[in-house]
Amino acid sequence: KQEVTQIPAALSVPEGENLVLNCSFTDSAIYNLQWFRQDPGKGLTSLLLIQSSQREQTSGRLNASLDKSSGRSTLYIAASQPGDSATYLCAVMDKGGSEKLVFGKGTKLTVNP
Amino acid sequence: GAVVSQHPSRVICKSGTSVKIECRSLDFQATTMFWYRQFPKKSLMLMATSNEGSKATYEQGVEKDKFLINHASLTLSTLTVTSAHPEDSSFYICSARNTAGGASYNEQFFGPGTRLTVL
C-alpha cells in the first residue's frame, strides 16, 4: 500500500529565504506526482505536476524534482514571500489500481515578514 | 490551470434534511471526478471516485446510501448527503482529473470546497 510522507510537518522562515520541502513515497509505481498548496478553509491549488518520466518541473519561483527510483520529491521555493504561507501537499497517482491520489499530511509553511 | 467549481460554497441545514453539492469542470471534460472530506487541521480523506455514466466507487467505510454520487455528464458530478446529521458537518472538496492529454494529462484540479454545517 502506497504511503506518502512529508517532512517537515511545519516550517517557519523569514521572508526572502530559499527553502525546500520534502516528500517521500514507498512504491515507485506511480503515474505522476503533484504538489498542491492549500490556504485555510480553501480548496487545493495545483502547483506543479511531474509525470513519472520527468525529473523536474518549474513554475516561477517554484521548482519540483522527482527521483522515482528512490521514492523522493522536493519542492524548492526561491525568495519566499509572506504570501507563500500555506500548507503544501504532495500527492502521487498510484498505478496500484484505481489511479487515485495518495496524499501526504502536508507541510505548513509560515513566511514571516 | 483548469478550473473546477463547487456549489454551494457554504450550506447550513437542519438535521434530517438532504443536501446536494455540485462539482463542475469548467473548461475541460472529466470522465473521473473525486469527492473528499476534510476535518479541521486534518488531511483530505477520499470518499469516492465518480465515474461518468457508471456507478461511483466508494472507499471502505463510506456509506454509499448516505452519500449519493451522480456523474451525469462529462462536466458535472453531484454529491448528495442524505438525512444529514451533525457528524456529517465537514468540508467537502471535489476534484476532476484531466484525461484529455497534453502536458497536464492526469493532472487533478480541485474545487474550492463546500462547508457543510448540520444543526
Side-chain angles (χ1 to χ4, degrees):
Chain A
K1 180 186 172 188
Q2 179 75 264
E3 292 183 2
V4 179
T5 303
Q6 289 187 247
I7 295 173
L11 181 63
S12 182
V13 300
E15 182 177 2
E17 257 197 27
N18 303 324
L19 59 100
V20 174
L21 306 181
N22 296 291
C23 172
S24 61
F25 47 96
T26 54
D27 187 347
S28 61
I30 62 171
Y31 284 114
N32 60 47
L33 182 145
Q34 245 178 297
W35 282 93
F36 298 89
R37 70 173 278 169
Q38 185 177 28
D39 294 283
K42 305 289 184 184
L44 276 64
T45 300
S46 179
L47 297 173
L48 289 164
L49 168 74
I50 312 177
Q51 305 288 3
S52 63
S53 58
Q54 297 174 326
R55 289 234 170 222
E56 67 175 349
Q57 285 289 329
T58 298
S59 176
R61 293 181 294 109
L62 305 180
N63 176 276
S65 68
L66 174 63
D67 184 342
K68 203 173 66 165
S69 60
S70 67
R72 295 177 191 273
S73 175
T74 60
L75 178 66
Y76 175 82
I77 302 177
S80 58
Q81 302 171 356
D84 295 331
S85 298
T87 296
Y88 289 80
L89 294 159
C90 163
V92 297
M93 179 175 282
D94 221 13
K95 280 188 177 179
S98 60
E99 300 174 5
K100 300 179 289 191
L101 281 182
V102 180
F103 281 89
K105 293 187 176 180
T107 294
K108 184 175 181 182
L109 173 65
T110 303
V111 181
N112 301 299
Chain B
V3 179
V4 174
S5 70
Q6 272 183 250
H7 179 79
S9 57
R10 281 181 187 272
V11 57
I12 301 173
C13 69
K14 292 182 179 179
S15 186
T17 60
S18 294
V19 174
K20 181 186 283 188
I21 303 170
E22 292 186 349
C23 177
R24 291 182 186 272
S25 56
L26 297 186
D27 49 3
F28 67 102
Q29 293 183 332
T31 55
T32 306
M33 292 184 174
F34 302 87
W35 286 97
Y36 298 82
R37 67 185 294 182
Q38 187 176 35
F39 293 102
K41 299 185 180 180
K42 297 291 185 184
S43 297
L44 292 168
M45 184 191 83
L46 179 65
M47 298 174 65
T49 303
S50 171
N51 305 296
E52 189 267 337
S54 64
K55 290 183 179 180
T57 305
Y58 290 82
E59 295 300 299
Q60 193 171 8
V62 178
E63 300 174 59
K64 62 180 181 180
D65 295 329
K66 172 79 173 172
F67 299 99
L68 299 178
I69 292 173
N70 185 281
H71 195 151
S73 76
L74 288 172
T75 59
L76 174 64
S77 175
T78 59
L79 168 68
T80 301
V81 183
T82 62
S83 186
H85 287 96
E87 57 266 30
D88 299 323
S89 298
S90 191
F91 191 55
Y92 292 87
I93 310 177
C94 72
S95 71
R97 184 160 68 98
N98 175 23
T99 55
S104 63
Y105 177 66
N106 271 339
E107 187 168 2
Q108 281 201 29
F109 299 96
F110 282 74
T114 296
R115 174 76 57 194
L116 170 63
T117 303
V118 184
L119 303 176

